[in-house]
Amino acid sequence: MRAHYSDHFVLPLPPDHRFPMSKYAALRERVAALPNVQLVEAAAATDGELALAHDPDYIERVVLGRLTMAEQRTIGFPWSPQMVERSRRSTGATIAACRAALRDGVAVNLAGGTHHAHRDRGQGYCVFNDAAVAARLVQAEAGRRAQGPLQVAIVDLDVHQGNGTASILADDRTVFTLSLHGASNFPFRKETSDLDVALPDGTGDDAYLAALDAALRELRERFEPHLLIYVAGADAHEGDRLGKLHLTTAGMRTRDERVFAFAVELGVPIAVTMAGGYGRDIATTVAVHLNTVQAALALWHGRSQAVNAA
């Protein structure tokens, strides 16, 4: 299974910054020990690829360092050449994961999930919206098909609503956006996804999994995807500083397994991004992300065995 990474491209952040930059290298090191995983450094997304989901003027201002101080505060990162390169690479990793998933059945980006980025602005540690860019790029690469356009469903289980994704894809009937998130959590001004499920603070395993099952059933009733992009945030975990939900590690693992089972049920490929995770103990966040990768690897093994048996 291919796992695409971009953690070599590190942002120069102050020591007290809230963004857990170190988790990405720690996750890659854990993933490197797994059997049958091919680690691939991500290529950078080009301006043309980014323009599939972003305003060219915004792209230019990011690249040339012309963001205002207010825009940088909204993103949460000070501008730097490293910020530009990492944002390109993280988006490129999701593009690569989608391409690999269409070929192999499942693939992973060990970063990504930058779902707060809008068409013309960044927000919440998100500069470019990797899922929106990747969805539109693989659709363009699929071209005209007898059965119609390649339909993509984005299943966003980060604890924060995927507001940027919802906004960019609001009028796109070929991409279905599902967001299962904390009702009172950031962003405080929500956008409208194709399906939003807002959960109260303190939601635990049973209520969360019931809501997820219902949401996936509704997605299937309303849409027929050819590809799933799974935004698998670790921040619904009970140990997260920003999450406000109370899922256990076992509950998070079951969440992942149900999303992958849904992909099997539909018979469609799935690309995975890690998204948020701000644990009080960063090792716990890394462990939750690793469980997601291991669940993806189990799916890859199952599909590989089925292909070999055929």
Side-chain angles (χ1 to χ4, degrees):
M1 182 187 75
R2 287 181 175 249
H4 302 267
Y5 67 92
S6 55
D7 61 89
H8 289 2
F9 305 92
V10 177
L11 301 186
L13 299 176
D16 59 346
H17 199 282
R18 296 173 74 185
F19 188 74
M21 184 62 65
S22 64
K23 78 173 183 178
Y24 298 103
L27 176 61
R28 177 177 51 79
E29 289 170 4
R30 298 286 301 276
V31 171
L34 299 176
N36 298 311
V37 173
Q38 180 183 1
L39 285 166
V40 183
E41 184 175 277
T46 67
D47 288 1
E49 291 167 343
L50 296 172
L52 293 169
H54 292 287
D55 186 279
D57 177 69
Y58 171 65
I59 298 168
E60 181 178 357
R61 290 190 300 109
V62 170
V63 170
L64 297 180
R66 295 176 180 168
L67 296 175
T68 66
M69 291 305 297
E71 287 175 314
Q72 293 177 55
R73 284 193 296 271
T74 299
I75 290 172
F77 298 139
W79 185 90
S80 66
Q82 295 96 319
M83 184 197 81
V84 178
E85 187 65 15
R86 179 174 176 82
S87 300
R88 286 188 187 274
R89 298 277 179 165
S90 184
T91 301
T94 298
I95 292 170
C98 286
R99 287 170 172 162
L102 288 166
R103 182 182 62 248
D104 303 332
V106 59
V108 173
N109 175 4
L110 298 180
T114 47
H115 59 168
H116 298 311
H118 289 63
R119 178 170 176 77
D120 60 352
R121 66 188 188 279
Q123 185 184 35
Y125 306 142
C126 302
V127 179
F128 301 127
N129 193 302
D130 62 317
V133 171
R136 286 187 165 164
L137 182 58
V138 294
Q139 287 179 324
E141 291 175 341
R144 296 179 62 86
R145 309 180 318 154
Q147 64 269 46
L150 184 80
Q151 301 215 120
V152 180
I154 299 173
V155 177
D156 190 338
L157 302 188
D158 189 276
V159 79
H160 307 105
Q161 194 216 28
N163 59 328
T165 310
S167 176
I168 291 170
L169 300 169
D171 299 319
D172 191 337
R173 297 302 91 198
T174 67
V175 183
F176 189 98
T177 54
L178 161 61
S179 181
L180 189 74
H181 54 263
S184 68
N185 215 318
F186 179 89
F188 304 111
R189 180 184 178 277
K190 306 291 195 287
E191 300 287 345
T192 303
S193 309
D194 290 303
L195 176 57
D196 284 302
V197 180
L199 302 171
D201 292 355
T203 296
D205 291 350
D206 292 344
Y208 184 98
L209 294 169
L212 173 60
D213 289 343
L216 294 177
R217 283 196 301 271
E218 184 171 345
L219 190 164
R220 184 170 189 172
E221 291 168 1
R222 294 172 52 188
F223 193 73
E224 296 182 7
H226 306 120
L227 169 68
L228 298 179
I229 299 176
Y230 175 29
V231 182
D235 44 12
H237 189 265
E238 61 187 351
D240 198 87
R241 290 182 291 116
L242 307 181
K244 301 184 181 180
L245 302 187
H246 285 172
L247 272 72
T248 65
T249 299
M252 295 290 286
R253 186 182 300 113
T254 301
R255 175 202 72 166
D256 293 335
E257 290 169 350
R258 291 196 184 177
V259 175
F260 290 120
F262 182 65
V264 171
E265 204 178 297
L266 295 178
V268 300
I270 183 168
V272 188
T273 70
M274 295 299 103
Y278 310 90
R280 297 178 184 89
D281 177 3
I282 197 65
T284 300
T285 297
V286 171
V288 172
H289 283 315
L290 182 66
N291 284 339
T292 301
V293 177
Q294 290 175 315
L297 185 59
L299 174 58
W300 180 87
H301 276 301
R303 286 183 166 172
S304 297
Q305 289 171 356
V307 169
N308 292 336

